[in-house]
Amino acid sequence: MNNGKNICHRSMSCKSTGTIFLSVLILFAAEAFLVVRAGKWLVRHDGDIHGDAIVILMGSIADRVLQAEHVYRQGLADKIIIVKEGMGAYKALESKGVSLISTTKQVSDALVTLGISSGNIVILPGDAVSTQMEAVKVREYCFCRADIDTLLLVTSAYHTRRASMIFESAFRKKGIPVTILCSPSSFTKFNPAGWWKDKEGIQQVLLEYMKIANFLLFDRRKM
C-alpha cells in the first residue's frame, strides 16, 4: 500500500512540476511577445492619406525634413506648419554677441533648399519646448479655420504614437473636429521589430514609454 501511495505522490509531483514548467514557458512567451510588440506599437503609420497641412514636430532635423518633403512631393498636403522651438538660454548668448541659427530656421531653410516655396511654410510663434506646447500652438492656429480638418504629423518613427495621443487630446479638449494622422519618418534609424538589439533603440523605447505614462498621468490634464 505504501508503494502505491509513493507512486501516487511521485505522479502528482511530476504533474505539478509539468504545470509549473508550462506556466513559466507561457510567461516567457508572453513577455517575448510584449517585448517585440513594444517597439512596433510606438510607430503609428496611417498610410498615404491626404491632409490639409503637414505639421513637422521639432527635435531631430534631417529625418523629419526628409519625410516632410516626401509627403509634400506626393501631393498629400500643400502646407507645412512648424512651431517655433524654444532654445533655452540662446537669447543670453545673443546678448553677448553670439549668433545661433535656431532649429526652426534650419528646418525652414532646408525645406526651401529642397524646393518647397516659403509661401507654403507657416512658422507659428511659441518658443515650444515640448510636443504638448506644439500641439497647443497648432490648435490655436487651427481654431475657427474651416480650411483645416486633417493634419499630418511628421516626426521620428518612435515618437508618432505619443505625438498623436497628445495632439488628439489637445484638439478634443477644445472640441475642435480635426483628424490627426501620422507619417513616421522612414529616414529614422529605428528598428521597431528589434529595438532591444542596440543601446540607442533601448533608450528610445524606454524613454517613450516613460513619457507616455507621464502624459497620461499628469500632462493631459493641463491641456
Side-chain angles (χ1 to χ4, degrees), residues 147-159:
D147 60 327
I148 296 181
D149 61 24
T150 304
L151 294 175
L152 306 179
L153 301 186
V154 168
T155 186
S156 302
Y158 56 84
H159 182 223

Side-chain angles (χ1 to χ4, degrees), residues 82-141:
I82 307 169
V83 178
K84 190 173 181 181
E85 184 181 39
M87 292 178 62
Y90 82 99
K91 291 181 180 178
L93 279 176
E94 286 185 335
S95 68
K96 294 178 178 292
V98 178
S99 179
L100 293 177
I101 300 177
S102 69
T103 302
T104 307
K105 181 166 176 52
Q106 290 181 61
V107 170
S108 177
D109 289 350
L111 291 170
V112 171
T113 301
L114 289 171
I116 297 174
S117 171
S118 59
N120 291 337
I121 302 172
V122 177
I123 300 178
L124 304 179
D127 287 332
V129 295
S130 67
T131 305
Q132 287 95 311
M133 291 181 69
E134 290 178 289
V136 169
K137 292 301 177 181
V138 173
R139 181 180 68 188
E140 291 173 355
Y141 174 76

Side-chain angles (χ1 to χ4, degrees), residues 43-216:
V43 183
R44 175 178 165 180
H45 194 329
D46 293 305
D48 297 332
I49 302 175
H50 188 274
D52 299 303
I54 298 165
V55 178
I56 301 182
L57 300 181
M58 292 294 94
S60 58
I61 298 175
D63 64 313
R64 302 182 188 193
V65 168
L66 286 167
Q67 184 66 23
E69 189 227 1
H70 172 70
V71 174
Y72 182 88
R73 296 295 180 204
Q74 285 183 298
L76 300 178
D78 56 9
K79 180 185 296 183
I80 298 178
I81 299 173
I82 307 169
V83 178
K84 190 173 181 181
E85 184 181 39
M87 292 178 62
Y90 82 99
K91 291 181 180 178
L93 279 176
E94 286 185 335
S95 68
K96 294 178 178 292
V98 178
S99 179
L100 293 177
I101 300 177
S102 69
T103 302
T104 307
K105 181 166 176 52
Q106 290 181 61
V107 170
S108 177
D109 289 350
L111 291 170
V112 171
T113 301
L114 289 171
I116 297 174
S117 171
S118 59
N120 291 337
I121 302 172
V122 177
I123 300 178
L124 304 179
D127 287 332
V129 295
S130 67
T131 305
Q132 287 95 311
M133 291 181 69
E134 290 178 289
V136 169
K137 292 301 177 181
V138 173
R139 181 180 68 188
E140 291 173 355
Y141 174 76
C142 293
F143 186 69
C144 292
R145 293 186 68 97
D147 60 327
I148 296 181
D149 61 24
T150 304
L151 294 175
L152 306 179
L153 301 186
V154 168
T155 186
S156 302
Y158 56 84
H159 182 223
T160 47
R161 180 68 59 180
R162 179 165 61 92
S164 64
M165 293 169 68
I166 292 171
F167 270 76
E168 286 173 345
S169 180
F171 280 86
R172 188 167 55 247
K173 287 277 187 179
K174 296 296 183 180
I176 303 174
V178 171
T179 300
I180 304 298
L181 302 174
C182 289
S183 181
S185 177
S186 57
F187 304 92
T188 303
K189 185 184 176 184
F190 176 68
N191 179 10
W195 58 270
W196 64 89
K197 296 179 182 179
D198 63 82
K199 180 180 177 181
E200 186 177 4
I202 293 172
Q203 290 175 337
Q204 289 167 338
V205 169
L206 294 181
L207 185 58
E208 276 303 306
Y209 275 99
M210 289 175 63
K211 289 182 176 180
I212 287 173
N214 181 72
F215 171 69
L216 293 176

